[in-house]
């Protein structure tokens, strides 16, 4: 979905739990626009070599963190 189209998560799913109109959001393009009536152009920002400049919620881990469980 938006921002990371190959992600297993779809950011539209949040609106199954929350009502965006009750939060003051007038419209959600995926739900409220008829794309037969609207010519929509977007810049996807995709690049063949964009991994080094496309920073998401990535963390670089040099060594695994130690985890301990206390019962």
């Amino acid at each position: 979905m938006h921002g990371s189209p190959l992600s297993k998560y779809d950011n539209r799913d949040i609106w199954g739990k929350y009502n965006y109109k009750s939060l003051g959001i007038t419209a959600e393009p995926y739900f409220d626009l008829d794309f037969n009536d609207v010519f929509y152009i977007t810049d996807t920002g995709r690049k063949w070599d964009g991994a080094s400049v496309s920073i998401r919620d990535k963390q670089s881990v040099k060594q695994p963190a130690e985890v301990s469980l206390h019962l």
Side-chain angles (χ1 to χ4, degrees):
M1 218 27 257
H2 177 73
S4 189
L6 301 179
S7 171
K8 66 180 181 176
Y9 301 103
D10 186 334
N11 59 334
R12 294 174 294 186
D13 291 342
I14 193 170
W15 302 125
K17 183 174 181 179
Y18 299 101
N19 180 343
Y20 56 89
K21 292 184 179 183
S22 72
L23 298 170
I25 299 172
T26 303
E28 206 294 331
Y30 286 103
F31 301 134
D32 298 320
L33 290 180
D34 181 350
F35 288 99
N36 292 309
D37 297 331
V38 176
F39 184 63
Y40 182 72
I41 300 174
T42 183
D43 173 15
T44 62
R46 291 206 172 179
K47 299 171 59 175
W48 289 107
D49 60 350
S52 65
V53 295
S54 179
I55 301 171
R56 309 245 181 250
D57 295 333
K58 298 177 185 175
Q59 295 179 352
S60 59
V61 177
K62 295 182 181 171
Q63 73 181 69
E66 290 184 29
V67 177
S68 60
L69 179 61
H70 302 278
L71 299 175

